[in-house]
Amino acid sequence: MSALYDAGAGALRWLYDRRISGPPVLDPALHFPASGDVAARWKELRNEAEQVAAGLGRVPRFHDLMPAQAPISANDDRDWRLFVLKAYGADVSDNMARCPVLAALLASHPGILSAAFSFLAPHKHIPLHRGPFRGVTRFYMGLSVPVLADGSPATVLTIDGHDHRIGDGEYLLWDDTYPHEVWNRSDQMRIALLLDVRRRGMPMDMALLSHIIVAAAGLAIRMKGVKWEL
């Protein structure tokens, strides 16, 4: 199954790489104007994520949701767990009900196609990999990020060979089809908000293809009946 996923992801990347170009890190003001609305409520979002974290054992690991992602999620004995509220346009109603602040933001900004709280265990390493789909961009905001002795964030997101340390309330908009990896270099859990945002400025045919892919993925998720909480 992993080989099939890799082949499909590779073909999709090849097509989008030929038609759409851009830097690894994007300007949120241009490509995700709603970023300011989201960031303004980061403390409320942190509170919701911390309430979820109180029952963290019931939150699925990434490879529980997508077994094909086991090479990057189950690569060691440390967990990467995702509390998903929305996936490719498909709402997870029970999880939405638990997080009204984030749910309201998602309702106000339909360009956000996926949303999840990400919980990275102490010393967890997500190895180098690439996302499959350039039709979206990734918004990453720190909610509860452990710090080093010098006060800098202990979690490092490396994108295309460049390190980014995103602290509490800080955020980055980036293209996850570029090679990237994450280290939590601390003894504490890191909590972040991950949003997938519809890419702006695509050629018309690629925008149409992206709409079809998102709709198909959302339909598959609804039909499959993914178990979002253990």
Side-chain angles (χ1 to χ4, degrees):
M1 191 67 180
S2 180
L4 182 62
Y5 173 87
D6 289 343
L12 197 60
R13 276 195 298 261
W14 177 86
L15 175 60
Y16 275 84
D17 286 350
R18 286 175 60 87
R19 297 299 313 283
I20 299 173
S21 61
V25 177
L26 303 167
D27 182 352
L30 293 176
H31 298 277
F32 183 37
S35 58
D37 292 343
V38 177
R41 306 193 71 176
W42 78 268
K43 290 183 179 179
E44 296 169 89
L45 295 170
R46 179 177 63 186
N47 289 340
E48 290 188 341
E50 288 177 341
Q51 290 172 12
V52 172
L56 193 60
R58 298 193 301 274
V59 176
R61 298 164 297 181
F62 187 26
H63 58 278
D64 294 325
L65 298 171
M66 294 186 64
Q69 296 294 344
I72 65 169
S73 176
N75 60 305
D76 55 26
D77 60 353
R78 298 174 175 89
D79 286 342
W80 175 23
R81 296 181 181 267
L82 290 177
F83 185 79
V84 178
L85 287 85
K86 189 173 186 177
Y88 281 92
D91 292 347
V92 184
S93 56
D94 289 346
N95 292 354
M96 285 275 201
R98 292 179 60 183
C99 303
V101 174
L102 182 50
L105 286 167
L106 298 179
S108 299
H109 301 291
I112 301 173
L113 301 176
S114 301
F117 290 129
S118 171
F119 303 92
L120 203 64
H123 300 287
K124 172 66 177 177
H125 175 223
I126 301 174
L128 194 69
H129 66 287
R130 296 180 65 194
F133 181 40
R134 190 164 277 186
V136 299
T137 55
R138 173 67 52 83
F139 177 84
Y140 172 106
M141 184 168 71
L143 297 179
S144 180
V145 182
V147 296
L148 301 174
D150 64 2
S152 63
T155 303
V156 183
L157 168 62
T158 303
I159 307 170
D160 198 34
H162 296 279
D163 290 349
H164 301 271
R165 294 179 182 269
I166 309 300
D168 290 358
E170 299 176 343
Y171 58 87
L172 193 71
L173 185 71
W174 56 290
D175 181 343
D176 86 334
T177 65
Y178 282 90
H180 58 280
E181 64 182 323
V182 184
W183 277 100
N184 180 0
R185 300 184 183 277
S186 79
D187 296 325
Q188 297 174 294
M189 180 174 63
R190 182 233 60 188
I191 307 176
L193 172 66
L194 305 181
L195 306 177
D196 284 343
V197 181
R198 194 182 300 277
R199 182 184 285 270
R200 294 182 164 212
M202 289 185 286
M204 187 175 295
D205 60 331
M206 298 305 293
L208 177 59
L209 176 61
S210 296
H211 276 279
I212 293 171
I213 290 171
V214 169
L219 178 61
I221 288 169
R222 292 183 183 95
M223 293 181 64
K224 187 178 179 181
V226 176
K227 191 174 183 182
W228 299 107
E229 185 168 318
L230 298 178

